Amino acid sequence: MIIVDGLTKSFGNATILNNISQEISDGERLVVIGPSGSGKSTFLRCLNLLEQPTGGRILVDDVDITAKKTDINAIRRKMGMVFQHFNLFPHKTVLGNLTLAPVQTGLMKKDEAEKTAMQLLNRVGLADKADAYPVQLSGGQKQRVAIARSLAMRPRIMLFDEPTSALDPEMVGEVLDVMRDLAKEGMTMVVVTHEMHFARDVGSRVLFMCDGVIAEQGTPQEVFENPQCARLQQFLNSISF
Amino acid sequence: MLLTFLATSPTTWSERLSFEIERGLLRYDRWQSLLNGLGVTLQVALGAVLLGVTIGLLLALMRISKFKILKAISATYLSIIRGTPVTLQLLIWWFVVFVPTGLSQLWVAIIAFGVNSGAYVCEIFRGGILAVDKGQTEAGRSLGLSGGKTLGYIVLPQALKNALPSLGNEFIMLIKETSIVGFIGMVDLTRAANMINSRTFAPFVPLISAGILYWGIITILTWLLGSLERRLRKSDNR
């Protein structure tokens, strides 16, 4: 469970996140939508402290991760993150990408890590690419490897930062399918996305962020069928889906 | 003297050349002193490369660290070393710093060139590190790897690959820079060649031979670096 309490982030004079409070319970699939620059990515990146909040607290399983003495590496091992631009390690093979962190953090021995990695690659349909280098993969394949790489640490929470925004349209589906499978298995997920179909089908709750605050939230049905605030109505009208 | 030289010297250019080779390289086994000089050059260069890479990596890590004091130390080092000529630095190490210790010329030369090269290697590494996408660090850290392991297993291997061409250039320059060790009385390849020249008054053969030897060594090094680079670029092949 993640509790966000009065989260604020500012760069100089610009306030990106303004006093955000949220509770994300286990098994929830929280989808964050909103116009660009609304702070959704920053919100997500604060959850595993890739961005350091300037105010407020974030509790992950009752541990305050913003506290100085917290071992943030241990917290991050429980939270996988998938990036818009994949960020695969180009000097490692696909298998090497998956085994590096489990081995180096001491989570698994090398042979166990390789076995787990092959299972995960099977699951995302890329077992035959184990010895390929990232540069040899398509965008969709890269992102599936990136998801598998995060899963290799056996996280309990997965954070997705616009995972399909950098993909060619025909590759979006294969990545969303993997994410749907994860959702079915009960993984706790926080997804920043522009895929409104995905948000509606998979999300258990939708947050609409605008100008650094959560302007509206609710079930997908409430948010998409019956938007209350003018900004959300405008946002939904302006995108085609 | 010139007249006697002309009078006794052979007439055709090939006879002249073989005469000079005999006098400049074969007589009194003078080629041996060239090879000894080459050995000295290689010892100084190899020692300095190892020291320079170590110092350079350390300085680069200090420069990108978040500790102001480490940044300042690194910046000061770079400023002093890059702001003065290497010949002067060599003389200072030999005549000022190490004079009471009795440290041998070889070690003083290795230290002088290593310390000098470190400043340049630092900037080469720093450039290589900065060229690695920030997302790589974020990916590593998001998986729960420590900052040190992220640097060691993810950033530095890629940085080294980025830096290799410039690093090779630095090694090549370093080998040639060592030709000034004659200033502290060492007999390296350049000095050995010039000593033959001053004994025989026939500069052509010893100096050109030295040039060929430098060129040969650097050609081999270039080839080695090239094959290392091709190996590291394996992951770039589509």
Side-chain angles (χ1 to χ4, degrees):
Chain A
M1 177 150 120
I2 306 175
I3 297 171
V4 179
D5 179 20
L7 173 62
T8 300
K9 172 73 185 178
S10 44
F11 294 99
N13 284 332
T15 304
I16 310 297
L17 296 176
N18 194 357
N19 197 19
I20 289 183
S21 295
Q22 272 295 316
E23 270 191 42
I24 306 166
S25 24
D26 290 342
E28 215 179 343
R29 299 172 304 279
L30 186 66
V31 179
V32 187
I33 60 171
S36 65
S38 58
K40 15 183 231 308
S41 279
T42 309
F43 170 67
L44 191 77
R45 290 160 58 84
C46 280
L47 295 182
N48 69 351
L49 242 53
L50 281 187
E51 297 287 353
Q52 192 71 41
T54 37
R57 292 189 315 158
I58 299 167
L59 304 171
V60 175
D61 295 337
D62 297 327
V63 179
D64 182 358
I65 66 169
T66 55
K68 274 226 152 40
K69 61 177 198 296
T70 304
D71 178 6
I72 187 60
N73 295 330
I75 302 289
R76 283 177 178 148
R77 283 165 207 167
K78 297 199 265 183
M79 308 170 82
M81 185 160 198
V82 176
F83 300 87
Q84 181 178 358
H85 295 288
F86 329 126
N87 298 346
L88 293 180
F89 308 134
H91 60 303
K92 298 271 179 196
T93 62
V94 166
L95 192 70
N97 267 271
L98 265 68
T99 54
L100 178 69
V103 172
Q104 288 305 327
T105 56
L107 183 70
M108 299 173 198
K109 291 260 177 289
K110 192 160 181 272
D111 48 346
E112 187 194 355
E114 281 178 359
K115 227 177 87 186
T116 312
M118 286 314 296
Q119 283 166 0
L120 285 167
L121 286 177
N122 251 320
R123 191 163 138 191
V124 298
L126 289 170
D128 56 324
K129 299 286 185 192
D131 295 324
Y133 282 97
V135 74
Q136 297 159 330
L137 306 179
S138 72
Q141 291 173 331
K142 280 182 195 167
Q143 196 60 298
R144 279 144 69 199
V145 170
I147 294 172
R149 179 178 68 179
S150 292
L151 293 175
M153 288 299 291
R154 299 192 178 131
R156 296 186 36 242
I157 302 163
M158 285 287 284
L159 310 176
F160 292 87
D161 188 4
E162 302 198 23
T164 58
S165 297
L167 296 177
D168 290 341
E170 79 268 24
M171 294 173 180
V172 170
E174 61 190 78
V175 171
L176 292 182
D177 285 345
V178 170
M179 292 169 64
R180 281 199 175 90
D181 284 347
L182 268 182
K184 261 184 227 148
E185 287 161 26
M187 175 70 79
T188 307
M189 296 164 75
V190 184
V191 185
V192 172
T193 188
H194 293 292
E195 295 295 327
M196 294 305 150
H197 282 297
F198 178 83
R200 196 149 52 176
D201 300 348
V202 177
S204 57
R205 188 153 58 99
V206 178
L207 297 186
F208 172 67
M209 283 189 71
C210 189
D211 298 328
V213 295
I214 295 169
E216 190 161 338
Q217 60 175 304
T219 63
Q221 211 156 16
E222 288 164 354
V223 169
F224 290 111
E225 318 281 321
N226 193 14
Q228 300 297 308
C229 83
R231 196 65 189 80
L232 175 56
Q233 288 164 0
Q234 198 188 340
F235 175 73
L236 292 175
N237 281 333
S238 66
I239 53 175
S240 57
F241 66 93
Chain B
M1 201 190 119
L2 187 67
L3 278 175
T4 49
F5 176 77
L6 285 175
T8 58
S9 66
T11 44
T12 70
W13 67 268
S14 61
E15 280 171 328
R16 170 77 179 267
L17 183 65
S18 58
F19 174 72
E20 287 220 359
I21 287 174
E22 193 278 324
R23 193 172 49 168
L25 290 182
L26 304 180
R27 199 181 295 173
Y28 307 125
D29 279 346
R30 283 185 170 127
W31 58 273
Q32 188 75 51
S33 71
L34 273 189
L35 283 193
N36 290 344
L38 178 65
V40 169
T41 293
L42 290 180
Q43 280 177 57
V44 174
L46 185 68
V49 161
L50 294 177
L51 184 62
V53 166
T54 313
I55 292 177
L57 184 59
L58 217 65
L59 287 172
L61 294 179
M62 285 164 73
R63 269 205 101 168
I64 59 167
S65 86
K66 54 187 175 209
F67 299 106
K68 283 216 169 85
I69 177 81
L70 295 181
K71 273 183 201 277
I73 292 172
S74 180
T76 310
Y77 183 110
L78 254 68
S79 164
I80 294 170
I81 295 300
R82 295 201 299 179
T84 52
V86 64
T87 315
L88 186 68
Q89 288 169 22
L90 177 70
L91 292 173
I92 290 173
W93 286 113
W94 176 243
F95 287 111
V96 182
V97 180
F98 284 115
V99 93
T101 65
L103 197 65
S104 76
Q105 290 151 313
L106 177 64
W107 283 108
V108 172
I110 286 174
I111 289 169
F113 287 109
V115 163
N116 183 269
S117 179
Y120 297 93
V121 171
C122 162
E123 288 299 87
I124 291 169
F125 275 141
R126 194 169 67 95
I129 291 169
L130 291 180
V132 176
D133 186 63
K134 213 171 129 243
Q136 293 290 308
T137 304
E138 291 184 349
R141 297 309 304 272
S142 79
L143 288 164
L145 291 169
S146 65
K149 287 204 163 162
T150 302
L151 191 67
Y153 289 100
I154 297 168
V155 177
L156 284 185
Q158 298 181 55
L160 184 67
K161 195 165 82 174
N162 295 338
L164 205 61
S166 310
L167 210 53
N169 202 31
E170 170 63 21
F171 294 164
I172 288 170
M173 300 224 295
L174 186 56
I175 290 177
K176 293 179 293 181
E177 256 175 16
T178 60
S179 64
I180 58 166
V181 290
F183 274 103
I184 62 168
M186 292 180 85
V187 184
D188 70 319
L189 181 52
T190 299
R191 182 98 188 282
N194 201 31
M195 279 166 77
I196 297 174
N197 169 32
S198 37
R199 278 194 200 131
T200 60
F201 297 106
F204 183 81
V205 167
L207 295 188
I208 295 298
S209 304
I212 290 169
L213 285 172
Y214 274 114
W215 175 82
I217 293 300
I218 286 165
T219 303
I220 292 169
L221 178 70
T222 307
W223 182 80
L224 284 174
L225 286 165
S227 60
L228 178 63
E229 203 179 317
R230 274 191 297 281
R231 243 185 59 195
L232 289 179
R233 295 232 167 266
K234 208 175 60 181
S235 62
D236 295 350
N237 297 334
R238 279 162 196 280

